[in-house]
């Protein structure tokens, strides 16, 4: 565990604002604030961004709007926010992959996550499910069953992920490596369209955010063969982890975080951080998160900056293990 002094030092190294209490009775900024998401409406991110935006409306800014800028595995949204004015009115909501994984898989990125942004706070963390739909025979109930079926049906051995080169894609690549068998990956532009095709049987299995498949697993329409987090999910306690099944390298979960462009004033970052904390603690928001398989996790800007650097370093090793290189 990093102590507070180390976290503050790490935050200062990135230009992150120190955590400060919110100004009392501060008037909202004039104009509209935009929470920019890199993935389509209807997915996991909406369950976080929209309730938080509603809480902030009229307090942080006169209006707070959630805007999707999809494509390129989230990079379009990241690049857009990088170019925005550093006035706190353009906020990036993004999963960890574009900020800590992509720098190790793309030969060129139009942004540097460690210098072009100030981390505001994490909002939630979440694990992944290796999920089977009606496109996979009902008798396939375990990961071992699936691998055996895939070997016998190589033309049908496909799996879907919500973005090429994402952490979910890496979970699939690590499974391929451990199984010694090449499955065919089918990347989508977000979790919502992937879920539609898994539900419809167009693709037999997929790696999904747990919250996106949770209601369908509980209803018996989908089945989770394993989860990728280091420990069992509190939302799917009867489903084994990949680590339990012998896949020790597949211990992957992600955070969803908020960032603002570099040079955004420290007091603006601190105020935004305080409002995120307040929103995450609201009872009605806690209920939304629980229903969607998400766990709230608030950090100060300095603490979040330290996590970004730590995860950035960890993914360097995992990317090297797979040898994967992303292509535009």
């Amino acid at each position: 565990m990093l102590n507070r002094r180390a976290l503050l030092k790490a935050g200062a190294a990135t230009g992150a604002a120190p955590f400060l209490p919110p100004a009392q009775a501060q008037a909202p900024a004039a104009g509209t604030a935009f929470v920019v998401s890199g993935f389509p409406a209807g997915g996991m991110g909406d369950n976080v961004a929209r309730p938080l935006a509603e809480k902030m409306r009229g307090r942080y800014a006169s209006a707070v709007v959630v805007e999707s800028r999809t494509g390129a595995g989230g990079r379009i949204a990241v690049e857009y926010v990088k170019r925005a004015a550093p006035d706190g009115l353009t906020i990036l909501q993004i999963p960890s992959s574009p900020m800590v994984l992509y720098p190790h898989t793309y030969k060129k990125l139009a942004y540097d996550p460690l210098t072009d942004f100030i981390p505001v706070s994490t909002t939630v963390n979440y694990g992944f499910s290796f999920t089977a739909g009606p496109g996979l025979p009902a008798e396939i109930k375990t990961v071992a069953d699936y691998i055996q079926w895939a070997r016998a049906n190589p033309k049908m051995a496909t799996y879907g992920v919500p973005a090429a080169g994402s952490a979910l894609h890496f979970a699939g690549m690590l499974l391929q490596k451990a199984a010694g068998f090449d499955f065919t990956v089918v990347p989508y532009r977000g979790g919502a369209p992937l879920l539609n095709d898994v539900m419809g049987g167009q693709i037999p299995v997929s790696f999904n955010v747990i919250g996106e498949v949770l209601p369908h697993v509980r209803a018996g329409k989908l089945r989770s063969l394993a989860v990728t987090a280091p420990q069992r999910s509190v939302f799917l306690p009867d489903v084994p982890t990949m680590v339990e099944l012998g896949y020790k390298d597949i211990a992957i979960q992600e955070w969803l975080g908020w960032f603002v462009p570099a040079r955004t004033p420290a007091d603006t970052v601190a105020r935004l951080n305080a409002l995120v904390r307040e929103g995450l603690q609201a009872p009605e928001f806690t209920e939304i998160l629980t229903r969607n398989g998400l766990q709230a996790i608030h950090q100060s800007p300095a603490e979040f900056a330290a996590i970004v650097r730590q995860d950035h370093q960890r993914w360097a090793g995992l990317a090297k293990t797979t040898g994967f290189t992303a292509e535009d």
Side-chain angles (χ1 to χ4, degrees), residues 14-220:
T14 65
F19 178 71
L20 300 171
Q24 297 299 315
Q26 189 171 350
T32 299
F34 293 89
V35 179
V36 179
S37 171
F39 295 91
M44 177 270 297
D46 262 11
N47 295 319
V48 177
R50 295 190 185 280
L52 284 180
E54 185 63 33
K55 281 282 184 184
M56 293 164 53
R57 189 171 293 119
R59 300 181 63 201
Y60 180 71
S62 301
V64 183
V65 175
V66 178
E67 178 181 359
S68 293
R69 288 186 174 265
T70 63
R75 287 177 293 141
I76 288 175
V78 178
E79 293 169 16
Y80 176 80
V81 175
K82 172 194 169 181
R83 297 190 299 268
D87 55 8
L89 292 179
T90 307
I91 304 157
L92 174 66
Q93 175 178 277
I94 202 75
S96 53
S97 290
M99 307 304 274
V100 299
L101 170 56
Y102 290 4
H104 309 297
T105 57
Y106 284 91
K107 292 181 180 178
K108 275 191 174 182
L109 280 180
Y111 60 89
D112 184 333
L114 301 181
T115 60
D116 290 335
F117 301 90
I118 297 175
V120 174
S121 178
T122 44
T123 57
V124 297
N125 63 11
Y126 48 91
F128 306 142
S129 166
F130 184 46
T131 311
L136 189 71
E139 62 269 20
I140 308 300
K141 300 184 182 299
T142 68
V143 175
D145 289 345
Y146 171 73
I147 292 173
Q148 184 177 359
W149 174 86
R151 289 183 184 280
N153 301 274
K155 292 184 179 180
M156 300 172 65
T158 60
Y159 69 95
V161 295
S166 64
L168 294 103
H169 187 184
F170 265 77
M173 287 188 284
L174 290 169
L175 179 60
Q176 291 183 69
K177 183 176 180 181
F181 182 79
D182 288 335
F183 313 115
T184 301
V185 64
V186 181
Y188 285 74
R189 293 180 59 154
L194 169 58
L195 180 59
N196 286 338
D197 277 5
V198 177
M199 293 284 293
Q202 285 90 346
I203 191 161
V205 294
S206 58
F207 282 92
N208 309 83
V209 173
I210 285 176
E212 292 180 346
V213 299
L214 185 60
H216 307 292
V217 171
R218 287 174 172 170

Side-chain angles (χ1 to χ4, degrees), residues 303-328:
E303 290 168 336
F304 187 22
I307 291 296
V308 170
R309 286 188 171 275
Q310 176 183 307
D311 288 353
H312 188 278
Q313 183 176 4
R314 176 176 179 263
W315 274 111
L318 287 175
K320 188 175 181 180
T321 296
T322 63
F324 174 78
T325 301
E327 296 180 3
D328 288 314

